[in-house]
């Protein structure tokens, strides 16, 4: 049943987006096709001007193609792994999306948050004047530290636009379940919507 759902989602992706080059595999560490469909739906519905992605990969390609289709917007993707950044930039070039997508090498460094230390992307690389309309949280990897993606909302909230949407991948994992509980307590102005997906997905929107 899951295989059918993923194939169905992949067919939707390839029918909606005008791909100019084969996509990388959507298995393993990559986003699953069903999360890709969720990402595409949010972008085509809301037409964000700026997408910030934590963790680059096939999702960067899908986002850039969607923004191209929507006729506006750009995506900035942070990745802590320099080798993977080089690979992601090459894929962006192959697909002809260099005017829309930017891969930023953002090594992880220690930050203090809630009297605890976290390894996190260098937020100094974010222009303080920008407003993020869509935040895609798919990094850092879970093996980096416990609750590795928790800092995303506390550290990036100030950069979010009034109508910003947050997508969290891998929401079915125990760590992400705890993170969502922490976010719900600390940021009650965001409503969480659980989306059935292979790895679990949650959409966060500001309460109306």
């Amino acid at each position: 049943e899951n295989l059918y759902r993923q194939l169905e989602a992949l067919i939707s992706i390839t029918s909606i987006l005008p791909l100019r080059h084969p996509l990388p595999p959507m298995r393993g560490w990559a986003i699953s096709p069903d999360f890709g469909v969720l990402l595409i739906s949010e972008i085509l519905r809301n037409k964000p001007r700026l997408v910030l992605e934590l963790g680059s990969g096939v999702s960067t390609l899908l986002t850039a193609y969607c923004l191209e289709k929507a006729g506006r917007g750009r995506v900035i993707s942070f990745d802590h792994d320099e080798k993977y950044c080089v690979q992601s930039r090459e894929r962006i070039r192959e697909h002809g999306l260099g005017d829309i997508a930017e891969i930023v090498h953002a090594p992880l460094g220690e930050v203090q948050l809630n009297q605890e230390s976290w390894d996190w992307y260098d937020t100094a690389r974010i222009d303080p004047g920008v407003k993020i309309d869509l935040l895609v949280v798919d990094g850092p990897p879970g093996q980096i530290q416990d609750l590795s993606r928790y800092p995303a909302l506390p550290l990036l909230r100030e950069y979010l636009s009034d109508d910003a949407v947050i997508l969290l991948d891998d929401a079915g994992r125990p760590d992400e379940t705890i993170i969502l509980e922490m976010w719900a307590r600390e940021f009650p102005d965001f409503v969480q919507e659980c989306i059935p997906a292979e790895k679990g997905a949650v959409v966060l929107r500001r309460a109306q």
Side-chain angles (χ1 to χ4, degrees):
E1 183 179 348
N2 178 61
L3 177 60
Y4 176 83
R5 288 199 304 268
Q6 299 312 316
L7 288 173
E8 187 178 44
L10 186 59
I11 291 169
S12 294
I13 290 170
T14 56
S15 64
I16 292 170
L17 300 181
L19 302 177
R20 294 184 286 270
H21 196 81
L23 291 173
M26 300 181 75
R27 299 281 81 193
W29 293 107
I31 64 165
S32 296
D34 55 6
F35 188 84
V37 168
L38 172 63
L39 177 63
I40 290 169
S41 298
E42 286 296 327
I43 294 173
L44 294 182
R45 180 187 301 117
N46 299 314
K47 296 180 174 57
R49 292 188 179 277
L50 178 61
V51 180
L52 178 64
E53 197 183 35
L54 304 178
S56 66
V58 65
S59 56
T60 315
L61 298 172
L62 299 185
T63 298
Y65 271 118
C66 281
L67 296 173
E68 182 181 67
K69 187 179 180 73
R72 75 176 199 186
R74 63 192 180 105
V75 53
I76 300 173
S77 185
F78 280 13
D79 209 297
H80 73 286
D81 188 314
E82 188 169 13
K83 285 186 177 180
Y84 203 72
C85 282
V86 172
Q87 185 180 86
S88 293
R89 288 171 185 146
E90 176 61 19
R91 287 173 174 168
I92 292 297
R93 186 196 63 77
E94 290 173 342
H95 286 263
L97 295 166
D99 291 339
I100 300 172
E102 178 185 0
I103 309 296
V104 175
H105 180 219
L108 301 178
E110 184 177 309
V111 298
Q112 296 296 316
L113 187 60
N114 297 340
Q115 299 180 331
E116 293 186 45
S117 295
W118 303 82
D119 289 331
W120 192 250
Y121 303 101
D122 181 6
T123 53
R125 294 176 177 269
I126 302 177
D127 182 341
V130 306
K131 286 297 179 183
I132 300 164
D133 299 310
L134 176 61
L135 174 62
V136 182
V137 184
D138 194 25
Q143 71 268 25
I144 295 287
Q145 62 192 339
D146 291 339
L147 309 179
S148 66
R149 298 175 184 178
Y150 165 74
L153 188 50
L155 292 180
L156 298 177
R157 186 186 184 200
E158 65 179 296
Y159 300 102
L160 299 176
S161 66
D162 292 340
D163 299 319
V165 174
I166 303 169
L167 300 185
L168 176 67
D169 193 18
D170 302 310
R173 300 190 306 196
D175 271 19
E176 273 63 25
T177 299
I178 296 172
I179 290 169
L180 288 165
E181 291 172 352
M182 295 170 69
W183 285 355
R185 288 194 301 269
E186 296 170 30
F187 306 100
D189 52 324
F190 281 92
V191 176
Q192 300 181 8
E193 178 187 3
C194 295
I195 307 295
E198 181 177 46
K199 299 177 182 178
V202 170
V203 180
L204 291 88
R205 310 178 199 275
R206 293 188 191 273
Q208 298 298 316

